[in-house]
Amino acid sequence: MKRYNEDFLDKIKGFNLEVLKNSKYPIYALSKELKFIYFNPAWSHFAKDNQFEGTALKNLSLGSPYLKSIKGVWLKLFFQKNYKKVIRTGETWHHEYQCSSDELYRFYHQIAYPLLNKSGVLIVNTEVFKLPMDQMNIKTFEVIIERYTQPNNRINQCSNCRHTQRADEPDLWDWVPNWVEKLPINSDLSICPTCKHLYEDS
């Protein structure tokens, strides 16, 4: 299966094709007209695992318009606007989204990078959370995310004691075990008032 257009290699200066190819997460690139110009093998596995077939699979082939693979007018407009902005401004764009299967509740982080000379956009997706698909896990996950996500969509963790700041009660910092070993992708390291006080006194 052909995975990229011939001129794609000229557009990815600064990116290593082997790294893109070997990523376990889905990566693809779009031309400035938002047509597919690259897929990594993980993207193909992702399409298969999510039961893209027939016409839906054809919409994921090289040269196909990306927006044909998106369901819903508002979602199409959302991605069109943001990918075009990346191409126009040369600034990367971060986006978090849910992409669940029947068995798993999955939450992803996406980074859209501009390609050389405003020629397109490279989209890298990484998995942030994966939980078994049952109501208790989904509710727990959503409550945790909502409690700690600040108005700027970031999560603050103290770099010293590893406690996480609440968004609804900013003076409170909690120990969130799952985030000690692996922080969410949208996290910032900060310092809590307790640790700040310790350092000021020393």
Side-chain angles (χ1 to χ4, degrees), residues 22-36:
N22 294 326
S23 173
K24 66 177 182 174
Y25 296 119
I27 298 174
Y28 55 94
L30 308 174
S31 67
K32 62 183 177 182
E33 297 83 19
L34 301 186
K35 293 185 177 181
F36 286 108

Side-chain angles (χ1 to χ4, degrees), residues 8-17 20 115-116 122:
F8 172 68
L9 298 179
D10 298 327
K11 299 175 180 179
I12 60 163
K13 286 192 176 174
F15 294 98
N16 186 312
L17 187 62
L20 301 179
L115 293 177
L116 199 63
L122 178 73

Side-chain angles (χ1 to χ4, degrees), residues 23 32 48-49 61 68 74 83 108 116 136 143 154 184:
S23 173
K32 62 183 177 182
K48 184 180 176 184
D49 291 345
S61 60
K68 272 194 169 183
W74 292 110
Y83 288 165
Y108 280 85
L116 199 63
M136 183 182 293
V143 165
R154 308 295 294 175

